[in-house]
Amino acid sequence: MASSSRALTRLSATGAPQKKLAGGAVANFATTSPARKPAFPSALITRTRSTVSRQFTRGYADVPPTVPARPGKWSRRLRGTVRWSWRLTYLSLIGGTAYIIYDGYDARHPEEQYNPDPHKKTLVILGTGWGSVALLKKLDTENYNVVVVSPRNYFLFTPLLPSCTTGNIEHRSIMEPVRQILRHKKAAVKYYEAEATHIDAERKVIKISDSSEIKGVINETEVPYDMLVIGVGAENATFGIPGVREHSCFLKEIRDAQAIRTKIMDCVETAAFKDQASDEIDRLLHMVVVGGGPTGVEFAGELRDFFDEDIKKLIPDIADRFKVTLVEALPNVLPMFSKQLIDYTESTFKEEHIEIKTKTMVKKVTDKTIEADVTGPDGKKEKITIPYGLLVWATGNALRPIVKDLMSQIPAQKDSRRGLAVNEYLVVQGARDIWAVGDCAVAGYAPTAQVASQEGAFLARLFNNMAKTESLESEIHELSSTLNIKPGNAAEVTQEIEGCERQLRRIKDIKPFHYSHQGSLAYIGSDRAVADVSWFNGNLAFGGNLTYYFWRSAYLSMCFSTRNRVLVALDWVKAKIYGRDVSRE
């Protein structure tokens, strides 16, 4: 008992009672004067602190440590994907900027050209359209003396021409100078800004005329050729309808787009003039498009966007009276597209308040009205009169005078009506050393830019193979002569001859031209588009807002040069931020 009491209670050095707590801790029940320091032995203090520490640790030993929760597998993957996406974006921006800078430097600093051998054949190319430029792009000009003749010293990216009419794209953004194209060829190419007026197939010469406004007089001369490629395209067809050429605006060249843009703003500003008659305002703001193909449909959509997004905000008083009408002689628009896309286009135009008049044949055009025959569901025809402020004629192709003149010289072309009939190698039937590409040629395909471009690329491969064939045949002839002169080297020379003959067989085995349809695209307004794209053995048809971005990316990739792509992209961004320019040029 005495030992237990001593274990539980002790006296301090001052006589104050102490009590031992559980775990070995000691509690002092007496208060110590602040001025007097308690005389605890240092060993006891150390033992007491260690004992409290052990007790505290034992009290919280059962509480598990707090570990931050690890993110799930899908969360980690998502974070990694986002991180790599940003890295790829940065790298793409850096790489794209570097490529644009390099391309600009390369365009401004081309390599030195050399003049081809004057003894080689002269290849004359007429025109600077899709077929001719595709030929020039892939042609090895060092194999021929190449001469280009065209009144237009630039290549025009025609699919975006409707966008130029409303200021969505500036016209110079879709133009590529021909001399810029020719300057990057290995061998020099001659270019004459002139119009070919006559082809003498017997003498193998072309008569060209320079109708420059500076000279004031027409200067004519002749250009001889050994091989001739005709890629002059076609002109607008009026089908003999009175008043079309005098009162309509066409949409085939840059000057046409500029004239339409001026006419649109002329109609708008005139309609907004003070005290204008109500009927006259309705007429001026009625825009009529004749032709339901891709050009007519895209122009109608661009025109509606122009008024809804820009004119309506700037001139709200007359914006509600604006009207667009699309006239088509066939039962529906976009006949080259699938039925579901045709229905989607027509329903979209109905939402955008674009009126479609199908089975409507224009008979006469005056300065203010259109007279047409409409075929009803019962087959009966009804005459209607449509007043208009702007009339855009976007249908049909007609032969150019030089094509008509050549066809009249060739008896084999007497039955051809739509252009120069060509064979499977695009050789003009009944002619010698003359080829034709594009809208002026009849090869059994639709007259589109896609067809003309593939025809030009085919001719480039054909001409390159022809030059290689002549070179290999000449080399074989020289080796054969060497074999007869130096019989001691027969084995080596014979091996070289066999190698040349194998190359010759591969080169001569060129297949006829075959068109590969890549698909059709059309913009229908309100940031929507339709696409009919080839997919394996069938077609993939789709439309909507996502198709609009596909349409833009496809046209952007098809632009001729990086310079065009950059300018077109900047024009789109500029129009989106600041709107279209409504100034009248």
Side-chain angles (χ1 to χ4, degrees):
M1 186 70 181
S3 60
S4 299
S5 299
R6 285 194 299 270
L8 294 175
T9 306
R10 293 180 181 178
L11 294 177
S12 64
T14 57
Q18 290 182 333
K19 186 176 180 180
K20 187 175 182 182
L21 302 178
V26 179
N28 192 351
F29 293 99
T31 57
T32 305
S33 174
R36 184 176 180 180
K37 185 176 180 180
F40 279 100
S42 58
L44 183 59
I45 296 175
T46 304
R47 189 166 53 249
T48 302
R49 289 178 178 174
S50 62
T51 304
V52 174
S53 176
R54 287 196 301 270
Q55 179 66 24
F56 179 81
T57 304
R58 282 198 299 269
Y60 288 90
D62 297 334
V63 180
T66 303
V67 180
R70 293 185 62 190
K73 180 176 68 174
W74 294 109
S75 178
R76 293 196 303 273
R77 288 185 178 181
L78 178 61
R79 292 179 182 179
T81 302
V82 172
R83 183 167 56 253
W84 278 106
S85 298
W86 276 112
R87 291 176 182 175
L88 289 176
T89 302
Y90 293 146
L91 291 175
S92 300
L93 290 174
I94 294 172
T97 304
Y99 176 76
I100 292 173
I101 294 174
Y102 169 77
D103 184 79
Y105 177 84
D106 183 63
R108 296 293 300 274
H109 301 83
E111 296 180 357
E112 291 295 328
Q113 290 180 313
Y114 66 89
N115 293 322
D117 186 357
H119 297 94
K120 291 184 177 181
K121 292 183 178 180
T122 299
L123 171 61
V124 177
I125 302 173
L126 301 182
T128 53
W130 283 90
S132 300
V133 170
L135 167 60
L136 286 169
K137 193 174 182 179
K138 296 183 178 296
L139 179 67
D140 294 335
T141 56
E142 60 268 23
N143 296 325
Y144 303 95
N145 291 294
V146 183
V147 179
V148 180
V149 178
S150 176
R152 192 178 71 183
N153 71 341
Y154 56 88
F155 166 73
L156 177 64
F157 189 76
T158 50
L160 289 177
L161 195 58
S163 299
C164 295
T165 60
T166 59
N168 202 23
I169 292 177
E170 295 300 327
H171 63 275
R172 292 202 173 273
S173 299
I174 58 174
M175 298 165 60
E176 183 69 18
V178 171
R179 294 192 180 275
Q180 184 77 9
I181 300 172
L182 302 180
R183 185 62 184 85
H184 285 77
K185 305 302 293 185
K186 292 182 179 179
V189 178
K190 292 182 179 179
Y191 169 72
Y192 299 118
E193 188 183 57
E195 185 171 358
T197 56
H198 177 70
I199 299 173
D200 192 334
E202 293 296 328
R203 295 173 51 225
K204 299 184 95 171
V205 296
I206 306 168
K207 183 181 291 185
I208 64 174
S209 63
D210 178 17
S211 56
S212 174
E213 297 179 358
I214 296 177
K215 293 183 178 180
V217 294
I218 298 177
N219 184 22
E220 292 187 343
T221 186
E222 291 183 346
V223 177
Y225 70 87
D226 296 307
M227 305 163 67
L228 174 64
V229 176
I230 304 174
V232 296
E235 61 183 22
N236 298 284
T238 62
F239 306 103
I241 301 173
V244 172
R245 195 166 296 279
E246 293 82 5
H247 306 295
S248 300
C249 291
F250 299 104
L251 191 52
K252 211 172 187 66
E253 301 289 344
I254 283 294
R255 59 180 177 271
D256 298 333
Q258 292 173 322
I260 292 174
R261 187 171 178 178
T262 302
K263 189 71 177 289
I264 292 173
M265 294 313 304
D266 190 11
C267 291
V268 170
E269 297 296 349
T270 305
F273 190 71
K274 187 175 182 297
D275 298 332
Q276 193 72 262
S278 179
D279 293 343
E280 184 67 4
I281 294 176
D282 292 336
R283 182 189 71 81
L284 289 169
L285 295 181
H286 188 194
M287 312 296 174
V288 178
V289 184
V290 178
T295 301
V297 168
E298 288 188 350
F299 173 70
E302 292 278 3
L303 195 57
R304 185 79 248 185
D305 289 347
F306 182 37
F307 269 79
D308 289 344
E309 297 174 6
D310 297 279
I311 298 296
K312 195 171 186 179
K313 298 175 183 177
L314 300 175
I315 316 176
D317 298 340
I318 61 173
D320 294 337
R321 306 176 73 169
F322 174 74
K323 184 179 179 182
V324 179
T325 299
L326 184 64
V327 177
E328 172 57 47
L330 297 177
N332 50 259
V333 299
L334 299 177
M336 70 289 298
F337 285 77
S338 62
K339 181 66 168 58
Q340 61 182 21
L341 292 183
I342 293 173
D343 295 340
Y344 178 75
T345 301
E346 292 179 350
S347 64
T348 301
F349 273 17
K350 187 175 181 180
E351 295 175 6
E352 297 173 351
H353 305 290
I354 299 176
E355 184 180 3
I356 301 178
K357 291 184 177 294
T358 55
K359 298 182 180 180
T360 303
M361 184 73 69
V362 178
K363 294 297 182 180
K364 183 180 179 181
V365 176
T366 66
D367 59 339
K368 295 183 179 180
T369 60
I370 298 173
E371 297 179 9
D373 290 343
V374 181
T375 303
D378 55 356
K380 293 183 179 180
K381 293 185 177 181
E382 177 187 0
K383 290 186 177 295
I384 61 172
T385 301
I386 305 173
Y388 71 87
L390 168 68
L391 173 62
V392 175
W393 194 268
T395 179
N397 290 327
L399 299 177
R400 294 193 181 275
I402 188 173
V403 177
K404 293 180 181 179
D405 180 62
L406 180 61
M407 292 172 63
S408 65
Q409 302 177 42
I410 304 174
Q413 298 287 331
K414 65 178 181 178
D415 296 330
S416 183
R417 294 290 180 268
R418 296 186 297 109
L420 292 166
V422 297
N423 64 9
E424 64 273 18
Y425 291 95
L426 305 181
V427 178
V428 175
Q429 296 179 5
R432 184 165 47 92
D433 297 327
I434 300 179
W435 291 259
V437 295
D439 294 351
C440 65
V442 179
Y445 304 104
T448 63
Q450 194 175 157
V451 173
S453 181
Q454 293 186 26
E455 289 176 343
F458 170 81
L459 280 189
R461 294 193 301 271
L462 179 65
F463 292 156
N464 293 338
N465 284 358
M466 290 170 59
K468 291 179 182 178
T469 299
E470 293 182 3
S471 176
L472 288 172
E473 288 176 347
S474 176
E475 186 176 352
I476 291 173
H477 179 71
E478 292 179 3
L479 290 172
S480 300
S481 302
T482 304
L483 183 63
N484 296 330
I485 296 173
K486 299 178 180 179
N489 199 24
E492 183 179 349
V493 174
T494 302
Q495 189 176 2
E496 291 183 16
I497 292 175
E498 290 177 355
C500 292
E501 288 178 345
R502 284 195 297 270
Q503 294 183 38
L504 191 60
R505 284 192 296 269
R506 288 196 300 267
I507 290 173
K508 281 188 173 181
D509 188 21
I510 183 170
K511 297 180 180 179
F513 172 73
H514 175 72
Y515 168 64
S516 176
H517 183 64
Q518 303 300 318
S520 302
L521 298 169
Y523 178 65
I524 58 176
S526 298
D527 292 347
R528 282 180 278 187
V530 290
D532 203 342
V533 182
S534 298
W535 184 262
F536 292 105
N537 295 327
N539 284 358
L540 184 63
F542 48 94
N545 296 107
L546 292 178
T547 310
Y548 165 70
Y549 294 105
F550 173 74
W551 170 83
R552 278 198 166 185
S553 61
Y555 277 10
L556 201 62
S557 65
M558 288 189 294
C559 286
F560 184 84
S561 65
T562 305
R563 166 185 168 274
N564 292 139
R565 297 185 189 99
V566 172
L567 292 177
V568 169
L570 290 176
D571 287 342
W572 279 337
V573 173
K574 181 180 65 176
K576 193 68 176 178
I577 296 175
Y578 298 105
R580 300 168 180 83
D581 187 3
V582 299
S583 59
R584 178 182 172 184
E585 298 178 356

